[in-house]
Amino acid sequence: MELLDNLALGFSTALLIQNVLYCFVGVLLGTAVGVLPGIGPTATVAMLLPITFNFEPVTALIMLAGIYYGAQYGGSTTAILINLPGESSAAVTALDGHEMARQGRAGPALATAAIGSFIAGTIATVALAIAAPPLARVALQFGPPEYFSLVLLGLIVSIALARGSAIKALAMIFLGVLLGTVGQDIYTGTPRFVFGQRELYGGIDFVSVAVGMFGVAEILRNLENEQTRTAVVSKVKNLWPTREDRRRIVGPILRGTGLGAALGVLPGGGHVLASFTSYAVEKRISKRQQEFGRGAIEGVAGPESANNAAAQTSFIPLLTLGLPAHPVMALMVGAFIVHGITPGPNVITDEPELFWGLIASMWIGNVLLVLLNLPLIGMWVRMLRIPYQVLFPMIILFASIGTYSLGFNAFDVYAIVLFGLLGYILIKCGCEPAPLLLGFVLGPLLEENLRRAMIIQRGDASVFLTRPISAVLLALALAALVVAVLPAIRKRREMVFTEDE
């Protein structure tokens, strides 16, 4: 009964006119950036973050969440129609989805992606509503040693799941943590790494880092590698799958949902890992293995369900532990903090309307996404004709205005340029900026809990090993680090996270 009462509270919040409106705006923008290759939800959320600061906290978070899971829907449209995934998690959908489009079956492929996404999103949201409260109650028992070990585990697991070199991912984590220490010491107030700049006394602005590293840097990379985009179908016909298609997609949708819901909570690229794992599972157990890569509808249903389920369950560690599972969730942490809310287990008791309203909005968002994606396919395809040279200057302009408006400080705009160039250089050197942002967000939390635990224990570091939960988490972190550098695991990880360039 308690769960039903909480959901009733959530829907009463999510169904307010302004919240429904901004949920619609969020999923609409999310679909748009999912369709447009090269922008992605991380850059979009980073650049729209300043605009939401004048909103009510629940409204802002509903819109930002809609952008994220909306992009998972939109990414499949271009993957199927033009073999160019708008989102990395949709790369595997292109393998069979585009082949179906070339065979004149774009309609069933798009409908399967939408149906699988809706079912998976709905089931995963139920899992989120059921799993989050008990996990939050457990997290309330954590002290500083447990939180330190948990944050350390999250950072190391994100290395294991990162794309490319584990050493480079580790270096990005260290750089992010180092940047997070800039500003006044949390206990003594002594300035650290400020180099005489008063603007740095409060630390490096989170929004400047996010917009620069994920907005400007990605734009520079995409301008350098702009691809020709030509749709193989001008008009989608026969949208609804046949009876045989419907029979074949039931199993992959359910299996993909289960895989995605489980893998979505992992730090790093859980939603990408989920879609590739689902495809591998479906291919392995299928009686029609020869069809995979040639237009197997299971190759669309499974991965699309998996990445959308993972998109929903990635909110579990954020809402219950205050830990982001990937860069978009790190941006959501920033949104919580800017609105004066500390993400973690206390949110469910201190801000019940926000907690349950955000969960309920995901159901509403999933319904809106089905209504947006299928009838408006023609509009999404036409969006691909917008030249990047026109689109990107507008994006940078609005992002700069939004960032400047936060504190009316030109230093924040200069920081966008600096971090944009840094991000572009790192990308060219083969370093992914995502671990850097996770390190930047989690670094202060890591330092605070380390120092708090040491102060309480009067400098006795054995507390991290004598408290059982902390010791288990540290053992898991060590195991994850060993796994990350094993040659066989490293090779497999690089195969899984290869994007379709």
Side-chain angles (χ1 to χ4, degrees):
M1 282 301 294
E2 183 183 359
L3 178 61
L4 294 178
D5 291 341
N6 289 329
L7 289 175
L9 172 64
F11 277 106
S12 68
T13 302
L15 288 172
L16 293 174
I17 296 298
Q18 70 268 24
N19 291 338
V20 173
L21 174 62
Y22 282 105
C23 181
F24 175 79
V25 170
V27 297
L28 181 68
L29 287 171
T31 303
V33 301
V35 166
L36 291 170
I39 300 179
T42 306
T44 306
V45 171
M47 289 184 286
L48 289 180
L49 197 55
I51 298 173
T52 67
F53 292 164
N54 293 323
F55 296 176
E56 288 294 319
V58 66
T59 305
L61 291 165
I62 283 173
M63 189 183 89
L64 294 174
I67 292 171
Y68 172 55
Y69 57 80
Q72 309 305 315
Y73 272 73
S76 63
T77 301
T78 43
I80 291 168
L81 295 181
I82 64 175
N83 198 28
L84 190 61
E87 242 286 286
S88 56
S89 57
V92 71
T93 305
L95 298 176
D96 286 285
H98 187 62
E99 286 300 315
M100 289 180 67
R102 293 181 64 182
Q103 296 164 16
R105 303 191 67 226
L110 290 165
T112 297
I115 293 167
S117 297
F118 175 74
I119 293 173
T122 301
I123 294 174
T125 305
V126 174
L128 170 59
I130 293 172
L135 188 56
R137 284 193 289 271
V138 171
L140 285 172
Q141 308 304 315
F142 281 20
E146 287 81 10
Y147 261 111
F148 168 81
S149 302
L150 183 65
V151 172
L152 186 64
L153 173 62
L155 290 173
I156 292 177
V157 172
S158 72
I159 294 169
L161 294 178
R163 199 161 42 241
S165 166
I167 300 299
K168 289 180 178 178
L170 183 61
M172 290 297 97
I173 291 280
F174 275 119
L175 180 57
V177 172
L178 182 64
L179 291 172
T181 63
V182 173
Q184 291 178 302
D185 184 278
I186 55 176
Y187 287 106
T188 66
T190 305
R192 303 181 298 186
F193 310 117
V194 297
F195 304 106
Q197 295 291 326
R198 288 197 169 274
E199 291 86 353
L200 292 177
Y201 274 49
I204 297 174
D205 185 61
F206 171 79
V207 176
S208 298
V209 175
V211 172
M213 297 293 289
F214 287 96
V216 176
E218 286 295 319
I219 285 171
L220 292 174
R221 179 168 71 170
N222 283 292
L223 285 174
E224 186 182 63
N225 300 311
E226 185 175 358
Q227 298 176 343
T228 303
R229 298 160 284 170
T230 306
V232 298
V233 287
S234 57
K235 189 174 182 180
V236 177
K237 299 178 181 179
N238 303 322
L239 201 61
W240 194 247
T242 64
R243 179 180 295 180
E244 173 65 12
D245 289 337
R246 295 196 296 272
R247 185 186 66 78
R248 289 174 59 177
I249 66 176
V250 171
I253 287 175
L254 295 178
R255 285 188 291 270
T257 300
L259 279 170
L263 296 174
V265 299
L266 295 177
H271 61 300
V272 183
L273 183 64
S275 61
F276 277 84
T277 303
S278 174
Y279 188 85
V281 168
E282 294 308 322
K283 187 174 181 180
R284 185 178 294 271
I285 68 174
S286 175
K287 297 177 181 178
R288 304 179 177 86
Q289 291 189 8
Q290 70 282 358
E291 290 185 23
F292 279 77
R294 296 181 174 85
I297 198 166
E298 295 91 341
V300 176
E304 280 301 302
S305 302
N307 75 51
N308 279 275
Q312 311 289 336
T313 57
S314 63
F315 283 87
I316 291 177
L318 172 70
L319 293 174
T320 58
L321 303 171
L323 299 179
H326 49 73
V328 175
M329 293 300 110
L331 294 167
M332 296 289 285
V333 169
F336 271 96
I337 292 171
V338 165
H339 285 285
I341 300 168
T342 302
N346 289 317
V347 171
I348 193 170
T349 52
D350 295 347
E351 302 283 346
E353 290 185 356
L354 184 148
F355 183 91
W356 292 106
L358 182 58
I359 291 176
S361 75
M362 294 179 188
W363 272 303
I364 298 168
N366 275 285
V367 173
L368 292 173
L369 280 165
V370 172
L371 299 177
L372 275 174
N373 275 263
L374 294 181
L376 301 179
I377 285 168
M379 184 186 78
W380 301 126
V381 174
R382 282 193 291 274
M383 277 187 61
L384 295 168
R385 297 174 186 169
I386 301 173
Y388 275 12
Q389 291 85 348
V390 173
L391 190 65
F392 285 162
M394 298 287 292
I395 293 173
I396 292 178
L397 174 64
F398 285 115
S400 300
I401 292 172
T403 304
Y404 178 76
S405 68
L406 296 180
F408 296 101
N409 191 342
F411 185 85
D412 294 337
V413 180
Y414 300 148
I416 291 176
V417 177
L418 175 64
F419 284 105
L421 293 174
L422 175 62
Y424 178 69
I425 292 169
L426 291 174
I427 289 169
K428 298 298 288 185
C429 294
C431 299
E432 286 294 321
L436 185 148
L437 188 65
L438 289 175
F440 182 75
V441 171
L442 294 178
L445 188 62
L446 191 76
E447 180 194 8
E448 181 182 353
N449 284 287
L450 171 64
R451 294 178 65 178
R452 186 178 294 170
M454 295 296 284
I455 289 170
I456 292 171
Q457 296 298 317
R458 298 184 179 182
D460 183 7
S462 64
V463 66
F464 298 104
L465 298 176
T466 55
R467 295 182 63 145
I469 296 176
S470 176
V472 169
L473 292 171
L474 286 177
L476 290 173
L478 180 62
L481 186 61
V482 171
V483 167
V485 297
L486 287 177
I489 300 295
R490 187 168 66 246
K491 183 178 179 182
R492 178 64 181 163
R493 190 183 71 245
E494 289 170 359
M495 289 172 60
V496 167
F497 286 101
T498 297
E499 288 191 39
D500 192 5
E501 299 294 341

